[in-house]
Amino acid sequence: MFRIRRFLVFFFLIAFLTALLVRLFYLQVLRFHNFSEMASEQHNQVRRIEPRRGTIFDRNMEPLAINLDTPSVYCDPREVRDKERAAELLSRVLNMDSRVLSERLKRDKAFIWVKRKVSVSEEEEVRKLGIKGVYLVNESKRNYSSESMASHVIGFAGIDNEGLEGIELMFDADLRGQPGWRRLLRDARMRTVLYNERESIPPQNGCNLVLTIDSVIQYIVEDELERMVKKYHASGASAIVMDPSTGKILAMANYPDHDLNSYRDTPRELIKNAAISSVYEPGSVFKIVTASAALDEKAVELDDTIHCGNGEYRSGGRILHDYHGYGKLSFLEVIAKSSNIGTVKVAQELGSEKVYEYIRKFGFGEKTGIDLPGEISGLSRPPGIWSRSDITTIPIGQGIAVTPIQLACAVSVISNGGYLMRPYIVDRITSWDGRVLRTFEPLARRRVLSGETCGKMKDIMRNVVTIGTGRRARSRFYDTCGKTGTAQMVNPEGGYYPDKYHATFIGFAPMEEPAISVVVTAHDPHPVYFGGSVAGPTFRKIVERSLQYMGSGTAGVAEKTSVAGRENAVPRS
């Protein structure tokens, strides 16, 4: 019996040792690489280092979008003892759902985000709680120093610093940079004890953007746009200031705007850049296309006489009216006084094919190519599908849909001597240390008009503000040229609203050496709704304040003002 027991003990001992050896062989030989990798992962951690997103500057190197170090809250759930209590405390100071926090803290992970990019007060409250396993770390947060200035141009970046709208989206690849990596050595309790810099890769910070936007002119435009909207109770408005000789956008604004630092609370419809992505029938401002075509094709001269039917003209199966009844007018007066009948008669003489040819030459029906996301091409139908009445509507800005940026480019053709310029917002891209990496140059897309035609159109547009419908856009300081437009708003359900209008004014100044082209449009102003009455005065104020700030001389006027400093550059007239 004793021998049997001894044999059994010996047998089990040998079996146990054999099992240990087999297990040891399995772990040390067959699974060596697996456990070696697990150990390496536990003691060697590779941490991603986010690059700093590039800064966005205006043309004078004033920062419009920068990065700030902002605290974020994270935790190691394995270190948190009373998870329910921790979730309850954190929910109070971080204004979060305690159930969501409790679910996160119960995860079997070494790292989870609790709340990213918190406020200073929230940071202080978290520190006071002193919960074991809950930590704070600095992250980079996008900050917009001017809050709502140029909000539709700049756009915004999300919580992970990825561009979501505007310039931030369009140039995200340049602004974002490349992440780096740092290897950390941790002890058995997962505490970092050493940084291995030799095996680390530093991040490459994003590039900076220098825009063509001028913050002062942008402020002027936004200020005057808001005044116009509030005075005439408009539902919205857009304005653009452009350097006609280069295509540089000096200001672009829509009202209402929004605070870029609170983009999550902004309704989607307010984020849309209406200046490039909303279309409307332009009305009589479009007569500059018809007039330019007629003059360029020698179909009419400025002093040619046209009978305007005393306010009524039957053609194409419809009766066309003028707001004021006119008899005989010179062609210059036809456009200056915005006679629909006179313009249509000239268009009929020119022919639908030529009218459409110049519509396309001026860039309508196609994108301008501006370096902003969301631009649309508008609507311009070829003559082959025109109805009988289209020759009486399209030449006066009905039955065609345009964007404000297209109008800015079109009026700049006349002011710069005949060239359609590509508009652009970004002037150059620089490295983090200031080296210029890429520049953007003016681009003339095509020649549209002869210099002679442009000179005649300047005379016409000058008369618009002296004897015509745009007299309220006339400046005491500068020779301004422009054109008014008033168009009924299209009803999405069909037809037009009987009492809703777009009021538009387009123009440039000074007349002889234009420094800026300006487009102003108001949506549904009331009770006054004419382009010359609503948008005209706003055009004048933008021109005067902008040119005084820029230091442009007066052209052909008796009075000259000197400007010293920003306060004098923004008169409140």
Side-chain angles (χ1 to χ4, degrees), residues 191-214:
R191 296 175 300 189
T192 300
V193 295
L194 182 66
Y195 294 104
N196 190 340
E197 296 294 345
R198 288 182 301 177
E199 297 185 26
S200 298
I201 301 174
Q204 296 180 21
N205 291 326
C207 300
N208 299 328
L209 300 184
V210 181
L211 306 185
T212 61
I213 295 291
D214 189 304

PDB file of all heavy atoms in Angstrom, residues 191-214:
ATOM      1  N   ARG A 191       3.255  54.262 -15.102  1.00  0.00           N
ATOM      2  CA  ARG A 191       3.674  55.646 -14.939  1.00  0.00           C
ATOM      3  C   ARG A 191       4.865  55.917 -15.843  1.00  0.00           C
ATOM      4  O   ARG A 191       5.784  55.105 -15.940  1.00  0.00           O
ATOM      5  CB  ARG A 191       4.048  55.929 -13.476  1.00  0.00           C
ATOM      6  CG  ARG A 191       2.880  55.802 -12.515  1.00  0.00           C
ATOM      7  CD  ARG A 191       3.315  55.970 -11.079  1.00  0.00           C
ATOM      8  NE  ARG A 191       4.301  54.951 -10.704  1.00  0.00           N
ATOM      9  CZ  ARG A 191       4.735  54.754  -9.466  1.00  0.00           C
ATOM     10  NH1 ARG A 191       4.281  55.505  -8.482  1.00  0.00           N
ATOM     11  NH2 ARG A 191       5.624  53.811  -9.202  1.00  0.00           N
ATOM     12  N   THR A 192       4.835  57.092 -16.519  1.00  0.00           N
ATOM     13  CA  THR A 192       5.924  57.450 -17.428  1.00  0.00           C
ATOM     14  C   THR A 192       7.171  57.773 -16.617  1.00  0.00           C
ATOM     15  O   THR A 192       7.145  58.596 -15.699  1.00  0.00           O
ATOM     16  CB  THR A 192       5.524  58.669 -18.280  1.00  0.00           C
ATOM     17  OG1 THR A 192       4.353  58.339 -19.040  1.00  0.00           O
ATOM     18  CG2 THR A 192       6.642  59.057 -19.222  1.00  0.00           C
ATOM     19  N   VAL A 193       8.265  57.096 -16.972  1.00  0.00           N
ATOM     20  CA  VAL A 193       9.517  57.332 -16.249  1.00  0.00           C
ATOM     21  C   VAL A 193      10.607  57.901 -17.141  1.00  0.00           C
ATOM     22  O   VAL A 193      11.614  58.425 -16.656  1.00  0.00           O
ATOM     23  CB  VAL A 193      10.021  56.017 -15.593  1.00  0.00           C
ATOM     24  CG1 VAL A 193       9.045  55.541 -14.529  1.00  0.00           C
ATOM     25  CG2 VAL A 193      10.258  54.927 -16.646  1.00  0.00           C
ATOM     26  N   LEU A 194      10.413  57.822 -18.484  1.00  0.00           N
ATOM     27  CA  LEU A 194      11.476  58.278 -19.374  1.00  0.00           C
ATOM     28  C   LEU A 194      10.902  58.577 -20.766  1.00  0.00           C
ATOM     29  O   LEU A 194      10.015  57.891 -21.246  1.00  0.00           O
ATOM     30  CB  LEU A 194      12.560  57.191 -19.504  1.00  0.00           C
ATOM     31  CG  LEU A 194      13.785  57.529 -20.373  1.00  0.00           C
ATOM     32  CD1 LEU A 194      14.596  58.655 -19.740  1.00  0.00           C
ATOM     33  CD2 LEU A 194      14.662  56.287 -20.568  1.00  0.00           C
ATOM     34  N   TYR A 195      11.399  59.656 -21.381  1.00  0.00           N
ATOM     35  CA  TYR A 195      11.092  59.972 -22.776  1.00  0.00           C
ATOM     36  C   TYR A 195      12.289  59.548 -23.620  1.00  0.00           C
ATOM     37  O   TYR A 195      13.415  59.943 -23.348  1.00  0.00           O
ATOM     38  CB  TYR A 195      10.858  61.469 -22.971  1.00  0.00           C
ATOM     39  CG  TYR A 195       9.630  61.997 -22.282  1.00  0.00           C
ATOM     40  CD1 TYR A 195       9.744  62.735 -21.116  1.00  0.00           C
ATOM     41  CD2 TYR A 195       8.368  61.773 -22.810  1.00  0.00           C
ATOM     42  CE1 TYR A 195       8.614  63.236 -20.475  1.00  0.00           C
ATOM     43  CE2 TYR A 195       7.240  62.271 -22.181  1.00  0.00           C
ATOM     44  CZ  TYR A 195       7.371  63.001 -21.027  1.00  0.00           C
ATOM     45  OH  TYR A 195       6.255  63.499 -20.397  1.00  0.00           O
ATOM     46  N   ASN A 196      12.031  58.772 -24.655  1.00  0.00           N
ATOM     47  CA  ASN A 196      13.090  58.352 -25.560  1.00  0.00           C
ATOM     48  C   ASN A 196      13.094  59.302 -26.760  1.00  0.00           C
ATOM     49  O   ASN A 196      12.426  59.067 -27.761  1.00  0.00           O
ATOM     50  CB  ASN A 196      12.863  56.908 -26.012  1.00  0.00           C
ATOM     51  CG  ASN A 196      14.079  56.355 -26.753  1.00  0.00           C
ATOM     52  OD1 ASN A 196      14.914  57.112 -27.236  1.00  0.00           O
ATOM     53  ND2 ASN A 196      14.168  55.031 -26.827  1.00  0.00           N
ATOM     54  N   GLU A 197      13.849  60.388 -26.631  1.00  0.00           N
ATOM     55  CA  GLU A 197      13.848  61.408 -27.664  1.00  0.00           C
ATOM     56  C   GLU A 197      14.502  60.930 -28.957  1.00  0.00           C
ATOM     57  O   GLU A 197      14.184  61.414 -30.039  1.00  0.00           O
ATOM     58  CB  GLU A 197      14.546  62.682 -27.172  1.00  0.00           C
ATOM     59  CG  GLU A 197      13.850  63.366 -26.006  1.00  0.00           C
ATOM     60  CD  GLU A 197      12.483  63.920 -26.404  1.00  0.00           C
ATOM     61  OE1 GLU A 197      12.216  64.031 -27.610  1.00  0.00           O
ATOM     62  OE2 GLU A 197      11.680  64.217 -25.496  1.00  0.00           O
ATOM     63  N   ARG A 198      15.442  60.001 -28.872  1.00  0.00           N
ATOM     64  CA  ARG A 198      16.136  59.525 -30.065  1.00  0.00           C
ATOM     65  C   ARG A 198      15.195  58.799 -31.015  1.00  0.00           C
ATOM     66  O   ARG A 198      15.415  58.762 -32.213  1.00  0.00           O
ATOM     67  CB  ARG A 198      17.297  58.617 -29.684  1.00  0.00           C
ATOM     68  CG  ARG A 198      18.473  59.367 -29.073  1.00  0.00           C
ATOM     69  CD  ARG A 198      19.619  58.424 -28.765  1.00  0.00           C
ATOM     70  NE  ARG A 198      19.203  57.371 -27.826  1.00  0.00           N
ATOM     71  CZ  ARG A 198      19.985  56.376 -27.429  1.00  0.00           C
ATOM     72  NH1 ARG A 198      21.220  56.275 -27.904  1.00  0.00           N
ATOM     73  NH2 ARG A 198      19.543  55.470 -26.569  1.00  0.00           N
ATOM     74  N   GLU A 199      14.153  58.189 -30.475  1.00  0.00           N
ATOM     75  CA  GLU A 199      13.192  57.470 -31.301  1.00  0.00           C
ATOM     76  C   GLU A 199      11.891  58.263 -31.484  1.00  0.00           C
ATOM     77  O   GLU A 199      10.875  57.698 -31.871  1.00  0.00           O
ATOM     78  CB  GLU A 199      12.885  56.104 -30.687  1.00  0.00           C
ATOM     79  CG  GLU A 199      14.098  55.188 -30.614  1.00  0.00           C
ATOM     80  CD  GLU A 199      13.727  53.809 -30.107  1.00  0.00           C
ATOM     81  OE1 GLU A 199      12.565  53.410 -30.284  1.00  0.00           O
ATOM     82  OE2 GLU A 199      14.599  53.132 -29.540  1.00  0.00           O
ATOM     83  N   SER A 200      11.941  59.548 -31.193  1.00  0.00           N
ATOM     84  CA  SER A 200      10.758  60.397 -31.344  1.00  0.00           C
ATOM     85  C   SER A 200      10.845  61.204 -32.635  1.00  0.00           C
ATOM     86  O   SER A 200      11.929  61.536 -33.106  1.00  0.00           O
ATOM     87  CB  SER A 200      10.635  61.349 -30.150  1.00  0.00           C
ATOM     88  OG  SER A 200      10.467  60.617 -28.945  1.00  0.00           O
ATOM     89  N   ILE A 201       9.678  61.520 -33.191  1.00  0.00           N
ATOM     90  CA  ILE A 201       9.586  62.331 -34.409  1.00  0.00           C
ATOM     91  C   ILE A 201       8.830  63.606 -34.060  1.00  0.00           C
ATOM     92  O   ILE A 201       7.664  63.539 -33.648  1.00  0.00           O
ATOM     93  CB  ILE A 201       8.844  61.586 -35.527  1.00  0.00           C
ATOM     94  CG1 ILE A 201       9.571  60.271 -35.856  1.00  0.00           C
ATOM     95  CG2 ILE A 201       8.716  62.453 -36.770  1.00  0.00           C
ATOM     96  CD1 ILE A 201       8.828  59.403 -36.846  1.00  0.00           C
ATOM     97  N   PRO A 202       9.474  64.754 -34.185  1.00  0.00           N
ATOM     98  CA  PRO A 202       8.779  66.004 -33.837  1.00  0.00           C
ATOM     99  C   PRO A 202       7.688  66.319 -34.846  1.00  0.00           C
ATOM    100  O   PRO A 202       7.792  65.966 -36.028  1.00  0.00           O
ATOM    101  CB  PRO A 202       9.900  67.052 -33.882  1.00  0.00           C
ATOM    102  CG  PRO A 202      10.905  66.491 -34.837  1.00  0.00           C
ATOM    103  CD  PRO A 202      10.856  65.000 -34.647  1.00  0.00           C
ATOM    104  N   PRO A 203       6.630  67.006 -34.418  1.00  0.00           N
ATOM    105  CA  PRO A 203       5.555  67.379 -35.359  1.00  0.00           C
ATOM    106  C   PRO A 203       6.001  68.498 -36.281  1.00  0.00           C
ATOM    107  O   PRO A 203       6.899  69.271 -35.965  1.00  0.00           O
ATOM    108  CB  PRO A 203       4.436  67.847 -34.424  1.00  0.00           C
ATOM    109  CG  PRO A 203       5.157  68.364 -33.213  1.00  0.00           C
ATOM    110  CD  PRO A 203       6.358  67.478 -33.054  1.00  0.00           C
ATOM    111  N   GLN A 204       5.374  68.570 -37.447  1.00  0.00           N
ATOM    112  CA  GLN A 204       5.594  69.677 -38.376  1.00  0.00           C
ATOM    113  C   GLN A 204       4.372  70.595 -38.318  1.00  0.00           C
ATOM    114  O   GLN A 204       3.279  70.205 -38.725  1.00  0.00           O
ATOM    115  CB  GLN A 204       5.789  69.154 -39.797  1.00  0.00           C
ATOM    116  CG  GLN A 204       7.008  68.290 -39.982  1.00  0.00           C
ATOM    117  CD  GLN A 204       7.147  67.800 -41.410  1.00  0.00           C
ATOM    118  OE1 GLN A 204       6.598  68.380 -42.338  1.00  0.00           O
ATOM    119  NE2 GLN A 204       7.891  66.714 -41.593  1.00  0.00           N
ATOM    120  N   ASN A 205       4.576  71.782 -37.760  1.00  0.00           N
ATOM    121  CA  ASN A 205       3.464  72.705 -37.610  1.00  0.00           C
ATOM    122  C   ASN A 205       2.905  73.123 -38.962  1.00  0.00           C
ATOM    123  O   ASN A 205       3.597  73.115 -39.977  1.00  0.00           O
ATOM    124  CB  ASN A 205       3.901  73.943 -36.825  1.00  0.00           C
ATOM    125  CG  ASN A 205       4.195  73.623 -35.374  1.00  0.00           C
ATOM    126  OD1 ASN A 205       3.544  72.760 -34.784  1.00  0.00           O
ATOM    127  ND2 ASN A 205       5.160  74.300 -34.787  1.00  0.00           N
ATOM    128  N   GLY A 206       1.629  73.486 -38.958  1.00  0.00           N
ATOM    129  CA  GLY A 206       0.959  73.871 -40.192  1.00  0.00           C
ATOM    130  C   GLY A 206       1.483  75.188 -40.745  1.00  0.00           C
ATOM    131  O   GLY A 206       2.123  75.977 -40.046  1.00  0.00           O
ATOM    132  N   CYS A 207       1.204  75.422 -42.004  1.00  0.00           N
ATOM    133  CA  CYS A 207       1.616  76.668 -42.653  1.00  0.00           C
ATOM    134  C   CYS A 207       0.659  77.793 -42.296  1.00  0.00           C
ATOM    135  O   CYS A 207      -0.499  77.564 -41.927  1.00  0.00           O
ATOM    136  CB  CYS A 207       1.642  76.483 -44.169  1.00  0.00           C
ATOM    137  SG  CYS A 207       2.764  75.194 -44.743  1.00  0.00           S
ATOM    138  N   ASN A 208       1.149  79.013 -42.403  1.00  0.00           N
ATOM    139  CA  ASN A 208       0.326  80.194 -42.181  1.00  0.00           C
ATOM    140  C   ASN A 208      -0.254  80.679 -43.506  1.00  0.00           C
ATOM    141  O   ASN A 208       0.352  80.513 -44.561  1.00  0.00           O
ATOM    142  CB  ASN A 208       1.145  81.316 -41.543  1.00  0.00           C
ATOM    143  CG  ASN A 208       1.699  80.926 -40.189  1.00  0.00           C
ATOM    144  OD1 ASN A 208       1.081  80.155 -39.460  1.00  0.00           O
ATOM    145  ND2 ASN A 208       2.869  81.450 -39.854  1.00  0.00           N
ATOM    146  N   LEU A 209      -1.428  81.309 -43.430  1.00  0.00           N
ATOM    147  CA  LEU A 209      -2.044  81.913 -44.605  1.00  0.00           C
ATOM    148  C   LEU A 209      -2.104  83.424 -44.423  1.00  0.00           C
ATOM    149  O   LEU A 209      -2.480  83.909 -43.356  1.00  0.00           O
ATOM    150  CB  LEU A 209      -3.472  81.392 -44.811  1.00  0.00           C
ATOM    151  CG  LEU A 209      -3.684  79.895 -45.036  1.00  0.00           C
ATOM    152  CD1 LEU A 209      -5.157  79.634 -45.311  1.00  0.00           C
ATOM    153  CD2 LEU A 209      -2.830  79.388 -46.181  1.00  0.00           C
ATOM    154  N   VAL A 210      -1.726  84.153 -45.459  1.00  0.00           N
ATOM    155  CA  VAL A 210      -1.891  85.609 -45.475  1.00  0.00           C
ATOM    156  C   VAL A 210      -2.949  85.919 -46.511  1.00  0.00           C
ATOM    157  O   VAL A 210      -2.782  85.628 -47.697  1.00  0.00           O
ATOM    158  CB  VAL A 210      -0.570  86.324 -45.817  1.00  0.00           C
ATOM    159  CG1 VAL A 210      -0.775  87.841 -45.797  1.00  0.00           C
ATOM    160  CG2 VAL A 210       0.525  85.926 -44.830  1.00  0.00           C
ATOM    161  N   LEU A 211      -4.060  86.492 -46.076  1.00  0.00           N
ATOM    162  CA  LEU A 211      -5.193  86.745 -46.949  1.00  0.00           C
ATOM    163  C   LEU A 211      -5.081  88.102 -47.644  1.00  0.00           C
ATOM    164  O   LEU A 211      -4.270  88.944 -47.265  1.00  0.00           O
ATOM    165  CB  LEU A 211      -6.503  86.698 -46.151  1.00  0.00           C
ATOM    166  CG  LEU A 211      -6.769  85.439 -45.316  1.00  0.00           C
ATOM    167  CD1 LEU A 211      -8.165  85.520 -44.691  1.00  0.00           C
ATOM    168  CD2 LEU A 211      -6.620  84.171 -46.133  1.00  0.00           C
ATOM    169  N   THR A 212      -5.918  88.284 -48.640  1.00  0.00           N
ATOM    170  CA  THR A 212      -6.035  89.593 -49.297  1.00  0.00           C
ATOM    171  C   THR A 212      -6.991  90.497 -48.529  1.00  0.00           C
ATOM    172  O   THR A 212      -7.057  91.702 -48.794  1.00  0.00           O
ATOM    173  CB  THR A 212      -6.552  89.428 -50.733  1.00  0.00           C
ATOM    174  OG1 THR A 212      -7.858  88.820 -50.687  1.00  0.00           O
ATOM    175  CG2 THR A 212      -5.625  88.539 -51.552  1.00  0.00           C
ATOM    176  N   ILE A 213      -7.734  89.919 -47.601  1.00  0.00           N
ATOM    177  CA  ILE A 213      -8.704  90.677 -46.809  1.00  0.00           C
ATOM    178  C   ILE A 213      -7.992  91.741 -45.982  1.00  0.00           C
ATOM    179  O   ILE A 213      -6.958  91.482 -45.363  1.00  0.00           O
ATOM    180  CB  ILE A 213      -9.489  89.733 -45.875  1.00  0.00           C
ATOM    181  CG1 ILE A 213     -10.340  88.763 -46.684  1.00  0.00           C
ATOM    182  CG2 ILE A 213     -10.346  90.517 -44.888  1.00  0.00           C
ATOM    183  CD1 ILE A 213     -11.496  89.392 -47.411  1.00  0.00           C
ATOM    184  N   ASP A 214      -8.562  92.943 -45.950  1.00  0.00           N
ATOM    185  CA  ASP A 214      -8.073  94.023 -45.093  1.00  0.00           C
ATOM    186  C   ASP A 214      -9.069  94.179 -43.952  1.00  0.00           C
ATOM    187  O   ASP A 214     -10.244  94.470 -44.178  1.00  0.00           O
ATOM    188  CB  ASP A 214      -7.970  95.328 -45.895  1.00  0.00           C
ATOM    189  CG  ASP A 214      -7.269  96.435 -45.120  1.00  0.00           C
ATOM    190  OD1 ASP A 214      -7.726  96.753 -44.001  1.00  0.00           O
ATOM    191  OD2 ASP A 214      -6.281  96.986 -45.631  1.00  0.00           O
TER     192      ASP A 214
END
